[in-house]
Amino acid sequence: MDSRMGIDEDSGETKGGMWDLDQKLDQPMDEEAGRLKNMYREKNFSALLLLRLAFQSLGVVYGDLGTSPLYVFYNTFPHGIDDTEDVIGALSLIIYSLTLIPLLKYVFIVCRANDNGQGGTFALYSLLCRHAKIKIIPNQHRTDEDLTTYSRSTFHEHSFAAKTKRWLEAYPFRKNSLLILVVTGTCTVIGDGILTPAISVLSASGGIKVDHPKMSNDVVVVVAVIILVGLFSLQHYGTDRVGWLFAPVVLLWFLLVGGIGIFNIWKYDSSVLRAFSPVYIYRYFKRRKMEGWTSLGGIMLSITGTETLFADLAHFPVSAIQLAFTVIVFPCLLLTYTGQAAYLMQNKEHVVDAFYRSIPDSIYWPVFVIATLAAIVASQATISATFSIIKQALAHGCFPRVKVVHTSKKFLSQIYIPDINWILMVLCIAVTAGFRNQSQIGNAYGTAVVIVMLVTTFLMTLIMLLVWRCHWVLVLLFTVLSLVVECTYFSAVLFKVDQGGWVPLVIAAAFLVIMYVWHYGTVKRYEFEMHSKVSMAWILGLGPSLGLVRVPGIGLVYTELASGVPHIFSHFITNLPAVHSVVVFVCVKYLPVYTVPEDERFLVKRIGPKSFHMFRCVARYGYKDLHKKDEEFEKKLFDNLFLFIRLENMMEGCSDSDEYSLYGQQTQNSADYLLRNNGSLTTGNNNDFTCSTVDSIILPNQGNNTVTSSAHESSQAEVDEMEFLNRCRDAGVVHILGNTVVRARRDSRFYKKIAIDYIYAFLRKICRENSVIFNVPHESLLNVGQIFYV
């Protein structure tokens, strides 16, 4: 047997003749894996198209970063300004923070680590999973690497990248630690999705009080809550319908704040331009000492939205992101912060609402309206990023099953998750109404942002080693510089944990428990199914009828296993006296890629002899793919099943072997010959070969003997089996799903019992059923109950 046929999940151990028999009868999906290897290349855009994409990216990517001037100076000086030189020092810190983190680190380095345009912590994790075997659920196979979108590099055995790869793969503890790191970053981004709308909308609404000083703060909070309710209520329409408004609003916002900044520099104090010298940073800390150090929590807010920038990267080329930031965003932000500093040099008592105070009276209300709209856009960007990363976590088995609605037919990344939307709304309103103070929300916001940045730095270090294969000196330089800046900020925000900074920590901890326990339970279920799968020898011993009555119809048995007969099937036929004439084991599997092309999605394999009428179908999805509705999924599954039968009979028609298996040496020679002459043998929809094409083929090493008669025989066998399958399909299709209950063993430790018996069990009760995820109609659903002890 070809050495390529070994199963990864069994780690290649030799288990004797019984194991060999299993391998011959139920082999991995090698031949049907798809041979296309046209890697997606970055497109070259015309200058005009690049400008248009850069303009569109303003509304989606930069809303959060652009609204930071609303609240930075107030959170930096919550107790007022004692010395105007402190304003210069704070401005200098803001200038160099914007230069080092958003500009150099993210826009020019981190954004290039995207997964085919997808950003966020789980996109980085997906890249790493393709270059090292670090995925905790071992359901991947070498055939997955043949996907068009599955890009990975090979390492020299003695390279630093290979050593890093071996170090990561050596112990399960390291894999788990990396996953916890990724989940922590994801949970903190979810915290951003709660805090960004709260602080942005509350800060924008605060403009009302500037013009009406006697107005109660309760009115500002009520206005902010009304805006938030409206914002979250509109999410189900999707960003596709209102996206046309976003870019013009944000562009107008940047031009306005940049223009106001220039006006303030000219009118109040142009000497603030001294802040471009880093000397004033040293003087700032020397003068303010510990108070200056803790004020970094407010300075940190000037770069909030940077992680959202990366998470919202989809659909825009990196060059468009870079163009928009360097030409519009970066200069306008520098101008607005410098303008506010110039105003504060002469009006340091107005630091509480420096942004609104610095606006000329003649354009105050138009700017207030634009600021409110910009805050809504910023909130929208963060909410969309939260939906996106939860969808990615869902595909990696790290989040309970929730309903995902794709709001755009053009863009797969534009999604809406109803359950998460309302949870975010409730928590966001609770934060807004509970704190009623943008200073405390700002402290919480800074804590969340710096944790995500630290996680990204650690992941980027691995990306540079394993994916980019940079020299270790460059990797060390990037890591050290990033950690010096971010750890400095982190040490500052720790001083404000008791002043609101505890909020994102509590939110992240709650989501971390949910995500990790769900992933832990998922892994344990998979391991149980792997160890309890049924031997093919047992199936063969039952005979073609499987020892039962074969009733007309097709049974689709859903399983998480990509190889082997699942325990649910033996449980089913042990308790019921009949089984369907055709049985298809369906495995829906998510891979660490952003999408799987439609023509490479389904892999089909026959299990056992033809008389058994048993097949396996693996449906592969990326974390951005939309799972089709039942009718379409079922249709594509049967289309690929029928195509597999045609290909199988075509290959047998080209061979003088009487074996039913596709993997005889003669059949392999035939397949190789067909590959050289007809392209790829894949069960995709674009390779619709028929058996008639083999009539004129002369096999190599066969002399001049044609295979016409053999081809006709196989053609007749194909017609007979196709008719049989169509009759069974007309008789009815039943979806057989396992309704499993997971319990911890009696001898398990107490924390495992709490995790499995209480937390995981509760999450399974409130999450969506598999039948709903697969869109299975109730009239054709059959649940098979069983208990797993893990």
Side-chain angles (χ1 to χ4, degrees):
M1 184 178 71
D2 193 329
S3 62
R4 294 178 302 163
M5 304 305 174
I7 295 180
D8 289 354
E9 293 146 325
D10 290 329
S11 65
E13 296 180 6
T14 302
K15 301 181 181 178
M18 191 68 72
W19 183 82
D20 290 335
L21 179 62
D22 275 357
Q23 298 304 291
K24 290 177 182 177
L25 295 176
D26 183 24
Q27 302 187 30
M29 307 288 192
D30 278 347
E31 294 304 320
E32 289 74 26
R35 313 287 179 136
L36 303 176
K37 202 63 180 174
N38 301 319
M39 297 308 301
Y40 287 179
R41 297 182 177 90
E42 188 170 345
K43 299 176 181 178
N44 293 321
F45 298 96
S46 66
L48 190 61
L49 179 58
L50 191 62
L51 286 173
R52 193 185 67 155
L53 290 171
F55 167 70
Q56 291 176 338
S57 71
L58 289 173
V60 176
V61 175
Y62 292 114
D64 191 6
L65 192 64
T67 54
S68 297
L70 288 168
Y71 43 77
V72 168
F73 275 108
Y74 170 51
N75 284 276
T76 305
F77 302 104
H79 306 297
I81 300 172
D82 298 326
D83 189 342
T84 53
E85 285 297 303
D86 293 343
V87 177
I88 303 293
L91 177 60
S92 188
L93 280 166
I94 292 170
I95 290 171
Y96 284 98
S97 296
L98 283 170
T99 304
L100 291 174
I101 302 297
L103 181 66
L104 296 181
K105 179 186 175 182
Y106 275 86
V107 172
F108 285 102
I109 298 178
V110 175
C111 282
R112 300 210 65 88
N114 63 83
D115 186 11
N116 286 277
Q118 310 300 322
T121 50
F122 265 106
L124 296 178
Y125 183 65
S126 294
L127 276 174
L128 292 173
C129 284
R130 298 207 295 270
H131 289 79
K133 294 180 180 178
I134 56 175
K135 194 174 181 184
I136 309 297
I137 303 177
N139 65 344
Q140 291 178 245
H141 187 260
R142 64 171 300 277
T143 55
D144 299 331
E145 300 170 17
D146 293 332
L147 284 171
T148 304
T149 51
Y150 198 109
S151 58
R152 63 177 298 174
S153 306
T154 55
F155 309 121
H156 188 274
E157 186 178 356
H158 301 293
S159 66
F160 197 75
K163 292 177 182 177
T164 306
K165 178 176 180 290
R166 288 194 294 270
W167 181 84
L168 266 180
E169 296 173 348
Y171 298 101
F173 172 77
R174 292 171 186 168
K175 300 178 185 179
N176 271 304
S177 299
L178 182 61
L179 180 65
I180 291 174
L181 185 70
V182 172
V183 171
T184 301
T186 302
C187 293
T188 318
V189 173
I190 295 172
D192 281 355
I194 296 166
L195 296 171
T196 299
I199 191 170
S200 299
V201 174
L202 188 61
S203 299
S205 303
I208 303 173
K209 199 173 178 181
V210 173
D211 196 60
H212 299 82
K214 295 182 180 180
M215 183 179 290
S216 169
N217 193 52
D218 294 340
V219 177
V220 176
V221 173
V222 170
V223 171
V225 169
I226 292 172
I227 293 174
L228 289 171
V229 171
L231 173 65
F232 283 100
S233 299
L234 292 174
Q235 290 301 310
H236 69 280
Y237 290 110
T239 56
D240 190 41
R241 296 189 182 182
V242 293
W244 63 270
L245 182 64
F246 288 179
V249 167
V250 177
L251 177 61
L252 183 59
W253 165 255
F254 278 120
L255 294 178
L256 272 174
V257 297
I260 293 170
I262 294 173
F263 174 79
N264 287 334
I265 295 169
W266 170 77
K267 181 179 178 180
Y268 294 105
D269 193 345
S270 60
S271 67
V272 292
L273 296 175
R274 293 175 294 160
F276 282 87
S277 170
V279 173
Y280 289 93
I281 296 177
Y282 167 74
R283 293 180 181 177
Y284 179 79
F285 286 124
K286 184 180 179 181
R287 187 168 49 253
R288 299 194 72 194
K289 296 183 173 60
M290 182 56 70
E291 190 179 0
W293 191 267
T294 56
S295 71
L296 285 175
I299 302 291
M300 175 86 200
L301 298 180
S302 64
I303 55 176
T304 55
T306 307
E307 192 64 36
T308 305
L309 176 156
F310 181 49
D312 269 331
L313 196 62
H315 309 308
F316 295 107
V318 174
S319 53
I321 298 290
Q322 293 171 340
L323 180 64
F325 189 83
T326 53
V327 174
I328 299 292
V329 180
F330 187 63
C332 290
L333 285 177
L334 292 184
L335 287 172
T336 186
Y337 285 120
T338 308
Q340 284 188 51
Y343 175 82
L344 289 173
M345 292 291 284
Q346 295 186 17
N347 303 276
K348 60 182 183 180
E349 69 279 1
H350 291 163
V351 69
V352 175
D353 23 51
F355 174 80
Y356 282 114
R357 294 281 187 180
S358 64
I359 300 172
D361 294 337
S362 58
I363 60 170
Y364 179 83
W365 285 110
V367 174
F368 170 75
V369 172
I370 297 296
T372 305
L373 291 174
I376 292 172
V377 173
S379 305
Q380 175 65 54
T382 314
I383 295 166
S384 299
T386 305
F387 292 160
S388 179
I389 61 168
I390 286 178
K391 175 71 162 59
Q392 293 177 16
L394 193 66
H396 282 84
C398 292
F399 203 85
R401 295 183 297 268
V402 290
K403 182 180 181 179
V404 178
V405 179
H406 287 253
T407 59
S408 172
K409 294 181 180 179
K410 295 180 182 178
F411 305 117
L412 290 177
S413 68
Q414 293 186 359
I415 59 174
Y416 166 65
I417 306 179
D419 301 333
I420 300 301
N421 182 65
W422 303 123
I423 291 173
L424 289 180
M425 186 187 78
V426 171
L427 292 176
C428 189
I429 292 174
V431 168
T432 305
F435 283 117
R436 310 161 65 86
N437 185 320
Q438 52 176 292
S439 176
Q440 287 187 316
I441 300 177
N443 294 337
Y445 198 15
T447 308
V449 169
V450 73
I451 291 174
V452 181
M453 288 183 175
L454 284 169
V455 170
T456 301
T457 297
F458 286 118
L459 293 177
M460 277 301 302
T461 302
L462 294 175
I463 291 289
M464 294 175 78
L465 287 171
L466 295 177
V467 182
W468 292 351
R469 287 179 286 179
C470 298
H471 194 279
W472 66 269
V473 174
L474 290 175
V475 178
L476 185 65
L477 185 64
F478 169 83
T479 306
V480 170
L481 286 177
S482 297
L483 289 180
V484 165
V485 176
E486 290 158 8
C487 288
T488 302
Y489 278 124
F490 185 63
S491 64
V493 298
L494 286 179
F495 286 101
K496 298 190 176 183
V497 169
D498 61 337
Q499 301 171 33
W502 57 271
V503 174
L505 299 179
V506 171
I507 294 172
F511 277 97
L512 179 63
V513 169
I514 291 171
M515 293 174 71
Y516 191 76
V517 168
W518 181 264
H519 184 266
Y520 178 77
T522 302
V523 170
K524 290 301 179 183
R525 283 185 59 207
Y526 185 84
E527 290 175 352
F528 182 90
E529 289 203 26
M530 276 295 301
H531 291 118
S532 62
K533 65 183 181 181
V534 181
S535 167
M536 276 306 301
W538 182 75
I539 297 292
L540 283 177
L542 298 176
S545 67
L546 301 182
L548 303 167
V549 178
R550 301 296 292 267
V551 297
I554 297 179
L556 300 181
V557 182
Y558 289 83
T559 173
E560 294 182 8
L561 299 180
S563 65
V565 177
H567 180 264
I568 182 181
F569 183 68
S570 64
H571 187 66
F572 174 73
I573 64 176
T574 301
N575 289 276
L576 290 177
V579 71
H580 298 90
S581 300
V582 177
V583 176
V584 182
F585 297 105
V586 181
C587 172
V588 177
K589 183 167 70 169
Y590 284 91
L591 301 180
V593 295
Y594 76 104
T595 185
V596 176
E598 283 286 345
D599 58 347
E600 300 176 55
R601 174 150 295 154
F602 290 91
L603 306 180
V604 181
K605 176 71 65 182
R606 185 186 296 278
I607 298 179
K610 285 189 175 181
S611 57
F612 278 40
H613 300 297
M614 295 174 66
F615 302 88
R616 176 180 312 287
C617 177
V618 176
R620 303 176 296 182
Y621 290 86
Y623 55 79
K624 283 292 180 186
D625 285 331
L626 169 64
H627 189 81
K628 304 295 184 182
K629 289 188 176 181
D630 175 63
E631 298 80 6
E632 189 172 349
F633 175 80
E634 190 178 299
K635 179 181 181 299
K636 287 184 178 294
L637 187 152
F638 285 121
D639 286 346
N640 282 274
L641 178 60
F642 293 150
L643 179 57
F644 166 79
I645 292 170
R646 289 199 296 271
L647 289 172
E648 179 189 45
N649 282 281
M650 178 180 70
M651 293 169 69
E652 287 187 348
C654 298
S655 171
D656 58 0
S657 172
D658 292 328
E659 294 182 10
Y660 54 79
S661 173
L662 286 177
Y663 294 102
Q665 184 62 43
Q666 300 285 349
T667 306
Q668 184 63 47
N669 289 339
S670 306
D672 292 340
Y673 180 79
L674 288 170
L675 274 171
R676 290 193 297 271
N677 290 275
N678 289 320
S680 66
L681 274 175
T682 176
T683 56
N685 300 326
N686 296 331
N687 300 282
D688 196 8
F689 299 117
T690 61
C691 210
S692 60
T693 58
V694 303
D695 290 344
S696 59
I697 293 178
I698 308 297
L699 283 178
N701 303 323
Q702 297 294 324
N704 294 324
N705 297 324
T706 65
V707 292
T708 305
S709 60
S710 177
H712 283 306
E713 290 176 5
S714 62
S715 179
Q716 183 59 44
E718 173 199 331
V719 171
D720 291 343
E721 187 165 19
M722 297 278 276
E723 288 181 353
F724 176 75
L725 287 176
N726 276 315
R727 288 198 304 270
C728 291
R729 186 180 180 182
D730 293 338
V733 178
V734 176
H735 301 258
I736 304 171
L737 275 74
N739 187 12
T740 56
V741 177
V742 183
R743 291 279 186 269
R745 294 191 184 94
R746 290 184 178 180
D747 57 346
S748 299
R749 296 184 178 180
F750 76 95
Y751 56 82
K752 183 178 179 180
K753 290 182 179 180
I754 293 173
I756 296 295
D757 293 347
Y758 296 97
I759 302 176
Y760 184 72
F762 174 74
L763 292 175
R764 278 183 60 85
K765 283 182 180 179
I766 64 173
C767 77
R768 289 163 63 84
E769 295 289 339
N770 266 326
S771 58
V772 179
I773 297 294
F774 295 134
N775 298 291
V776 177
H778 288 289
E779 59 271 14
S780 59
L781 172 64
L782 180 61
N783 273 319
V784 180
Q786 53 184 345
I787 298 178
F788 288 169
Y789 288 96
V790 297

